[in-house]
Amino acid sequence: MTFEEIKKVTQILIEFLPNTLKLFAWTLVLSIPVGVLVTMLKKCRFKPISWLTNLYILIMRGTPLMLQIIAIYYAVPLIIASAAKSGKTGGIYDLLTNLKNNENYMFIALVTAFVLNYAAYFAEIFRGGIEAIPKGQYEAASMLGMTKMQTFFRIILPQVTKRVIPATANEVIVLVKDTSLANVIAYAEITMKAKQQMNLYSSIAPLFIAGAFYFVLNAVVTVAFAVIEKKFDYYK
Amino acid sequence: MAILEVKNISKSFDSLKVLKDISFNVDVGEVVAIIGPSGSGKSTLLRCINQLEKADGGEINVDGANMFRTENGKAVYAPSKTLRDIRLKIGLVFQNFNLFPHFSVTQNIIEAPVHVLKQSKAEAKSACNELLKKMGLETKGAAYPCELSGGQQQRVSIARALALKPKILFFDEPTSALDPELTGEILKVIKDLAKEKMTMVIVTHEMAFARDVANHVIFMDDGYIVEEGSPEEVFGNTRNERTKQFLQRFNDR
């Protein structure tokens, strides 16, 4: 490829970079709170809820994210089609039809799949962090008359946050690269565009350029987490 | 006047009976030392009085309020409001300090006064400074627990307990996690508190200290109190065979 062509491909990838970033940001912002919720459900004393949560984590971590994306993306139209065939109508089907006709349906399906998947991983990271806090911290707080809420939010959570930063950084770095899986349903992110350019120029170079994009994004993520980790360095 | 009444406490973990029939009283201003071999139930007794474990049977009254009593063979605890009031009247100093690592020394000490007793920050801070001075830590307010020696950390944890102005202060082997060199500074703090007539119950392996500072010594073995009395009685004129054996080992060291 000529230098001009490389420049052109790079420009196209830059143009579609926001789609990659949008998927990354929505997944990150939603999957962390959902992950906290899943941790709480898993630790729920009412056993059936804890078991169902375990099953959910098992499936999400046990099957490929790519399959989950495909399944969720096609599930809605397939459900609607089979409902139409058997003549079923009503609230839930109308809701699904509205969803399918939404102009952002593909993005909504993608974020749903990514969030469900990443929340399962985050939940296990957070559970590990919570269980690593010594029992003495709870006992000290209770001797001081602190309520359960105060104990969790003022004593436990800040310490858990510090402990889960390295493992969370790992997940976030993987997430940057996993956004490329969205190309499986033809979401216009940079890997899909790079593949198109590869075919256009009969050259593998566009893939290397896409690789460089991910590399730079992850350099930023790595530095950001190093800064966060340093912020929590004031205690052991 | 008894500020703490413990009557016929029993406690099992599964099939293991840890406390069998424990009764004793603590009067205002008294210092009680609980001694005995490992596994005799000393720490469990302290944890039952501090509501960190639930007793199976018996009765405990703190400062006139009933914490629990036995009805039809089952321990019935007071409503949670009463339990909370009782909890705020007693303080506990742990063997492993259990300071909050993400809080500075000052934050550790003012946390409960500000967030539990709802004192103003200024008020809590000035009380905190007084306590730090008393503990010989006036320069350490901004330090984090990990920057302190074990002895300093334990003094902070004593200050943290004192900040709630407890009527009784319990110590669970306060020097067991410390170098022998550092135990002295903790023992001195406890002695100073004894001089101020602070009511204290101390589980300890420091026999010389127990003899020195306590008004009343309780010797526990296998879930029972086998001997109790003044330090002179228990250490000087030991009657019980088991106590004699135990103290002999300490004298030989």
Side-chain angles (χ1 to χ4, degrees), chain A residues 164-176:
Chain A
V164 302
I165 289 168
T168 304
N170 248 347
E171 278 314 305
V172 174
I173 285 170
V174 176
L175 173 60
V176 167

Side-chain angles (χ1 to χ4, degrees), chain B residues 89-161:
Chain B
K89 286 183 185 167
I90 59 189
L92 173 62
V93 174
F94 296 87
Q95 183 176 344
N96 300 320
F97 332 133
N98 290 337
L99 291 174
F100 304 131
H102 59 306
F103 282 169
S104 69
V105 166
T106 299
Q107 286 173 312
N108 262 283
I109 295 170
I110 67 170
E111 174 67 16
V114 171
H115 290 99
V116 177
L117 300 185
K118 309 290 181 197
Q119 289 176 7
S120 75
K121 253 198 173 150
E123 189 187 349
K125 269 196 181 148
S126 93
C128 165
N129 290 339
E130 286 300 307
L131 284 168
L132 286 178
K133 208 179 282 171
K134 200 163 151 185
M135 296 292 147
L137 294 168
E138 51 272 67
T139 60
K140 297 292 184 190
Y144 283 85
C146 62
E147 298 163 346
L148 303 178
S149 73
Q152 290 170 331
Q153 289 188 45
Q154 190 59 299
R155 280 182 281 158
V156 174
S157 89
I158 294 172
R160 181 175 70 174

Side-chain angles (χ1 to χ4, degrees), chain A residues 79-142:
Chain A
I79 290 170
I80 294 167
S82 86
K85 206 185 276 172
S86 56
K88 273 188 235 161
T89 50
I92 181 93
Y93 299 107
D94 292 347
L95 214 70
L96 287 175
T97 311
N98 278 339
L99 183 63
K100 200 193 86 171
N101 295 335
N102 188 308
E103 55 174 335
N104 290 321
Y105 170 65
M106 178 189 278
F107 188 71
I108 293 168
L110 267 177
V111 170
T112 306
F114 271 80
V115 168
L116 287 177
N117 181 279
Y118 272 79
Y121 285 95
F122 281 131
E124 285 299 81
I125 291 175
F126 300 156
R127 185 178 62 87
I130 289 173
E131 286 174 4
I133 304 297
K135 206 172 108 207
Q137 293 289 306
Y138 293 92
E139 291 183 348
S142 104

Side-chain angles (χ1 to χ4, degrees), chain A:
Chain A
M1 282 178 81
T2 66
F3 182 71
E4 274 311 305
E5 286 168 343
I6 288 175
K7 220 173 121 187
K8 216 169 158 196
V9 170
T10 307
Q11 270 165 358
I12 289 172
L13 293 191
I14 287 175
E15 192 188 325
F16 287 90
L17 182 62
N19 283 347
T20 293
L21 294 179
K22 222 168 79 183
L23 178 58
F24 169 78
W26 276 93
T27 305
L28 188 62
V29 168
L30 293 177
S31 61
I32 287 179
V34 175
V36 173
L37 182 73
V38 174
T39 308
M40 295 200 296
L41 292 177
K42 173 153 176 163
K43 292 185 87 71
C44 178
R45 291 229 184 91
F46 182 62
K47 284 294 160 206
I49 289 189
S50 172
W51 291 329
L52 278 176
T53 311
N54 270 332
L55 182 67
Y56 156 76
I57 292 173
L58 198 66
I59 293 171
M60 285 299 151
R61 297 200 307 172
T63 60
L65 175 56
M66 193 191 278
L67 294 190
Q68 294 163 13
I69 293 168
I70 298 169
I72 289 177
Y73 181 61
Y74 289 109
V76 173
L78 288 175
I79 290 170
I80 294 167
S82 86
K85 206 185 276 172
S86 56
K88 273 188 235 161
T89 50
I92 181 93
Y93 299 107
D94 292 347
L95 214 70
L96 287 175
T97 311
N98 278 339
L99 183 63
K100 200 193 86 171
N101 295 335
N102 188 308
E103 55 174 335
N104 290 321
Y105 170 65
M106 178 189 278
F107 188 71
I108 293 168
L110 267 177
V111 170
T112 306
F114 271 80
V115 168
L116 287 177
N117 181 279
Y118 272 79
Y121 285 95
F122 281 131
E124 285 299 81
I125 291 175
F126 300 156
R127 185 178 62 87
I130 289 173
E131 286 174 4
I133 304 297
K135 206 172 108 207
Q137 293 289 306
Y138 293 92
E139 291 183 348
S142 104
M143 281 313 301
L144 293 173
M146 297 176 78
T147 62
K148 280 200 167 145
M149 291 283 269
Q150 285 175 329
T151 304
F152 184 74
F153 285 105
R154 299 196 51 81
I155 306 300
I156 306 304
L157 194 60
Q159 295 184 59
V160 170
T161 307
K162 177 184 166 80
R163 279 169 198 256
V164 302
I165 289 168
T168 304
N170 248 347
E171 278 314 305
V172 174
I173 285 170
V174 176
L175 173 60
V176 167
K177 296 176 291 178
D178 272 0
T179 56
S180 64
L181 292 172
N183 91 86
V184 72
I185 55 170
Y187 177 66
E189 46 68 62
I190 58 178
T191 296
M192 190 196 143
K193 285 290 151 188
K195 272 165 70 184
Q196 283 177 357
Q197 299 301 309
M198 180 179 81
N199 293 334
L200 190 67
Y201 292 103
S202 299
S203 162
I204 203 169
L207 293 189
F208 280 87
I209 300 170
F213 274 70
Y214 292 109
F215 186 84
V216 171
L217 288 179
N218 268 332
V220 174
V221 169
T222 306
V223 170
F225 271 95
V227 170
I228 297 172
E229 215 168 306
K230 190 129 188 96
K231 273 209 152 162
F232 281 88
D233 233 13
Y234 66 89
Y235 73 90
K236 282 199 185 71

Side-chain angles (χ1 to χ4, degrees), chain B:
Chain B
M1 189 193 93
I3 189 161
L4 171 68
E5 296 174 303
V6 175
K7 296 178 191 166
N8 313 105
I9 296 298
S10 61
K11 169 73 183 170
S12 301
F13 291 111
D14 297 324
S15 60
L16 182 70
K17 279 199 150 195
V18 181
L19 299 177
K20 287 165 186 166
D21 184 15
I22 303 281
S23 301
F24 67 96
N25 286 342
V26 177
D27 289 339
V28 175
E30 207 177 15
V31 178
V32 175
I34 303 179
I35 59 173
S38 298
S40 57
K42 309 181 296 289
S43 286
T44 306
L45 173 61
L46 224 56
R47 292 173 64 83
C48 285
I49 299 170
N50 285 286
Q51 303 177 38
L52 294 175
E53 301 284 354
K54 289 224 156 174
D56 299 333
E59 179 175 344
I60 290 179
N61 299 306
V62 178
D63 198 23
N66 178 257
M67 185 199 297
F68 70 91
R69 56 162 54 93
T70 303
E71 279 165 23
N72 303 325
K74 265 183 129 179
V76 180
Y77 274 76
S80 55
K81 165 104 179 52
T82 312
L83 292 179
R84 196 176 144 77
D85 289 346
I86 290 175
R87 180 162 257 168
L88 288 175
K89 286 183 185 167
I90 59 189
L92 173 62
V93 174
F94 296 87
Q95 183 176 344
N96 300 320
F97 332 133
N98 290 337
L99 291 174
F100 304 131
H102 59 306
F103 282 169
S104 69
V105 166
T106 299
Q107 286 173 312
N108 262 283
I109 295 170
I110 67 170
E111 174 67 16
V114 171
H115 290 99
V116 177
L117 300 185
K118 309 290 181 197
Q119 289 176 7
S120 75
K121 253 198 173 150
E123 189 187 349
K125 269 196 181 148
S126 93
C128 165
N129 290 339
E130 286 300 307
L131 284 168
L132 286 178
K133 208 179 282 171
K134 200 163 151 185
M135 296 292 147
L137 294 168
E138 51 272 67
T139 60
K140 297 292 184 190
Y144 283 85
C146 62
E147 298 163 346
L148 303 178
S149 73
Q152 290 170 331
Q153 289 188 45
Q154 190 59 299
R155 280 182 281 158
V156 174
S157 89
I158 294 172
R160 181 175 70 174
L162 289 173
L164 289 172
K165 299 200 169 58
K167 295 202 167 175
I168 319 174
L169 190 52
F170 292 85
F171 294 82
D172 189 5
E173 303 192 25
T175 59
S176 294
L178 300 176
D179 280 82
E181 277 179 37
L182 298 176
T183 58
E185 57 188 76
I186 299 306
L187 300 184
K188 184 180 169 297
V189 167
I190 299 175
K191 262 185 205 165
D192 290 346
L193 289 172
K195 272 189 213 137
E196 295 170 18
K197 292 289 164 204
M198 179 81 208
T199 310
M200 292 184 283
V201 177
I202 308 164
V203 168
T204 184
H205 287 300
E206 301 282 333
M207 294 306 141
F209 171 70
R211 175 162 27 190
D212 222 25
V213 75
N215 317 111
H216 195 82
V217 176
I218 290 174
F219 179 81
M220 277 180 71
D221 186 36
D222 194 26
Y224 292 106
I225 292 177
V226 293
E227 185 152 0
E228 67 174 311
S230 68
E232 293 77 26
E233 286 167 342
V234 174
F235 290 103
N237 186 18
T238 318
R239 279 161 305 177
N240 182 281
E241 218 23 67
R242 184 70 187 89
T243 320
K244 266 185 197 163
Q245 274 177 8
F246 180 75
L247 292 175
Q248 188 64 45
R249 281 211 316 276
F250 272 94
N251 292 336
D252 287 348
R253 284 213 305 217

